[in-house]
Amino acid sequence: MTTRNHCLERDAQDPLASLRDQFDLPAGIIYLDGNSLGARPKSALTRAQQVIAQEWGKDLIRSWNAAGWFELPKRLGKLLAPLIGAADGEVVVTDTTSVNLFKALAAALDMQAADAGRRVIVTERSNFPTDIYMAQGLTTWLDRGYTLRLIDSPEELPAAIGADTAVVMLTHVNYRTGYQYDMQAASALAHEHGALILWDLAHSAGAVPVDLHAGGADLAVGCTYKYLNGGPGAPAFIWVPKKHQPHFHQPLSGWWGHAAPFAMAPDFQPAEGIARALCGTQPIVSLALVECGLDVHHQTSMAAIRAKSLALTDLFIELVEARCAAHPLGLVTPRAHANRGSHVSFTHPHGYAVMAALIARGVIGDYREPAIMRFGFTPLYTSYADVWDAVEILRDILDRKDYNIDAKRDAVT
Ligand SMILES: Cc1ncc(COP(=O)(O)O)c(C=O)c1O
């Protein structure tokens, strides 16, 4: 049976342990919510001060050129590319995941539009709601007979894709269950039937190794405020591989996606390359901070992050099942490593109340309907001893029924 001392020994041998020092984590907190909002890299404060005090305050508008503000979406895309198996010139950090999804889905439908028989978008009912909502909004607005086919489990995917399918739109790691798709297999399935595949990497980028090229992806979007530690509401990313760039036409054709933005021409001409995925002026203060999280990632490798993520999630599952066995907890996350992301979800009939009690005791995870407690493990700053201590606090709360089932719900759970 694993003990706390075993956990401390593993921390002492952990090759990533020193990276925790690059994050400003408050004392007395065990932070298991990096799958929702990553912790703050210490360097983000210095960078924010530099952007606000010097670049904005002193250099003013000159910073668009002198501080490289205008090129920032592309420069950050270049830093992000190796983490997701993208090539240089294929990623920009910009806008939100929802907005990028709209652009990518619209462009994918446009690439398939010549085939009037392809009017179906296949996705999952359990996909993150914004993905479904954006697809609903786009198809309703297009009014060209597109429909959404919602599958209820990954096993239904093969039967759901056919000659009528324009686009398969999947989230690589499910936000609720932590289920991870086999990207290569799902992409191959889509291509067998002539469909394109669009991946949402919100819970994958920086959390699990991703190789978009080897995985056969056509388009991808993702988020930087979770495992990439970019900051609350930090701009997201969009990936368009070189082979699709010439045919990538997205409807949010703002001036930053123009071939010559400062020519101020009255007609839209898309830029060559990935810049055509841009729309308009970016929130530079927020965008600039994304670099701080990426810098930490560049000090290690996705292979090392994945090895520790699996060790942490295995440990958490083992300890919860052993030490909280008397309680009605149900593991939702796959046990198979190949199908697991970097968070673990357990159901409990009073999941919201138990999570509220955990947070009150300094163990920060979150809650998702129905009855799911999510615990995120960020190998850059989560230790094995954190896992032990979090499970002990959970056990204590459950043993003593120290939670309030009438607790008022916050707007954000
Ligand atoms: C899979 C997925 N897509 C999208 C989002 C959020 O998109 P946005 O940043 O546009 O709110 C999330 C947020 O958790 C998510 O899990």
Side-chain angles (χ1 to χ4, degrees):
M1 183 60 213
T2 305
T3 64
R4 189 170 198 275
N5 274 342
H6 292 139
C7 295
L8 291 172
E9 279 163 27
R10 291 173 85 171
D11 284 329
Q13 287 156 16
D14 172 14
L16 301 187
S18 64
L19 294 177
R20 182 184 174 106
D21 192 43
Q22 300 201 24
F23 293 90
D24 196 14
L25 286 159
I29 292 289
I30 299 174
Y31 193 59
L32 302 181
D33 216 355
N35 54 311
S36 200
L37 173 63
R40 176 173 75 78
K42 286 180 181 163
S43 60
L45 198 56
T46 323
R47 182 76 185 106
Q49 273 161 345
Q50 182 191 11
V51 176
I52 293 170
Q54 180 64 42
E55 296 177 9
W56 176 21
K58 301 275 189 293
D59 302 335
L60 293 160
I61 200 164
R62 291 169 291 186
S63 287
W64 284 107
N65 294 312
W69 288 355
F70 191 60
E71 290 301 316
L72 203 49
K74 284 195 254 182
R75 199 165 65 74
L76 294 174
K78 189 183 169 107
L79 287 175
L80 172 60
L83 303 186
I84 54 172
D88 192 15
E90 293 185 337
V91 192
V92 274
V93 178
T94 186
D95 299 332
T96 65
T97 305
S98 303
V99 168
N100 287 333
L101 197 99
F102 183 89
K103 294 185 254 184
L105 184 59
L109 293 180
D110 177 65
M111 288 181 212
Q112 296 279 49
D115 185 345
R118 290 191 187 275
R119 287 292 182 268
V120 172
I121 298 163
V122 173
T123 190
E124 285 186 292
R125 201 178 306 281
S126 69
N127 202 343
F128 191 81
T130 207
D131 297 46
I132 300 176
Y133 301 161
M134 294 309 285
Q136 286 170 342
L138 174 64
T139 53
T140 304
W141 181 78
L142 281 172
D143 194 20
R144 284 192 214 142
Y146 287 106
T147 56
L148 256 62
R149 183 174 295 147
L150 301 175
I151 59 169
D152 284 304
S153 80
E155 289 74 47
E156 291 179 13
L157 188 64
I161 307 173
D164 61 358
T165 310
V167 179
V168 178
M169 181 184 85
L170 294 175
T171 291
H172 185 223
V173 174
N174 186 278
Y175 79 102
R176 219 172 356 207
T177 63
Y179 176 92
Q180 179 179 173
Y181 268 98
D182 177 338
M183 182 180 283
Q184 205 167 16
S187 300
L189 214 54
H191 294 158
E192 243 169 65
H193 295 279
L196 294 171
I197 189 153
L198 161 58
W199 290 98
D200 183 336
L201 305 179
H203 289 269
S204 309
V208 300
V210 176
D211 190 335
L212 287 166
H213 279 285
D218 289 297
L219 297 166
V221 300
C223 153
T224 67
Y225 54 69
K226 300 178 188 289
Y227 295 95
L228 294 174
N229 309 299
F237 64 88
I238 178 166
W239 171 76
V240 183
K242 293 231 164 73
K243 69 171 180 184
H244 285 321
Q245 288 178 0
H247 332 284
F248 182 89
H249 298 292
Q250 56 100 353
L252 302 184
S253 46
W255 70 311
W256 277 43
H258 194 280
F262 283 88
M264 302 292 175
D267 292 320
F268 184 76
Q269 276 296 329
E272 292 291 323
I274 190 63
R276 63 177 54 192
L278 297 173
C279 179
T281 308
Q282 291 302 296
I284 293 297
V285 179
S286 181
L287 189 62
L289 305 190
V290 173
E291 187 163 2
C292 303
L294 291 174
D295 277 348
V296 184
H297 274 273
H298 280 273
Q299 295 167 44
T300 178
S301 67
M302 282 314 303
I305 286 173
R306 179 60 170 166
K308 184 173 171 189
S309 160
L310 287 172
L312 290 169
T313 51
D314 275 346
L315 177 66
F316 184 70
I317 293 169
E318 175 207 318
L319 291 177
V320 170
E321 291 188 334
R323 304 187 68 79
C324 307
H327 301 286
L329 291 165
L331 178 66
V332 176
T333 302
R335 287 179 201 277
H337 284 179
N339 293 126
R340 192 191 302 163
S342 201
H343 72 266
V344 175
S345 299
F346 277 99
T347 53
H348 184 280
H350 300 301
Y352 183 80
V354 175
M355 183 51 75
L358 278 165
I359 294 170
R361 302 254 316 250
V363 178
I364 303 184
D366 62 23
Y367 173 81
R368 289 293 175 266
E369 293 291 347
I372 289 181
M373 296 189 289
R374 288 195 312 180
F375 301 89
F377 298 89
T378 304
L380 299 177
Y381 52 75
T382 307
S383 70
Y384 295 94
D386 283 341
V387 175
W388 174 276
D389 294 341
V391 175
E392 280 311 283
I393 293 170
L394 174 63
R395 185 182 58 74
D396 185 60
I397 287 169
L398 293 174
D399 284 354
R400 298 197 295 114
K401 290 202 168 23
D402 188 17
Y403 49 83
N404 175 12
I405 57 173
D406 299 320
K408 191 177 155 297
R409 296 214 174 181
D410 287 329
V412 176
T413 62

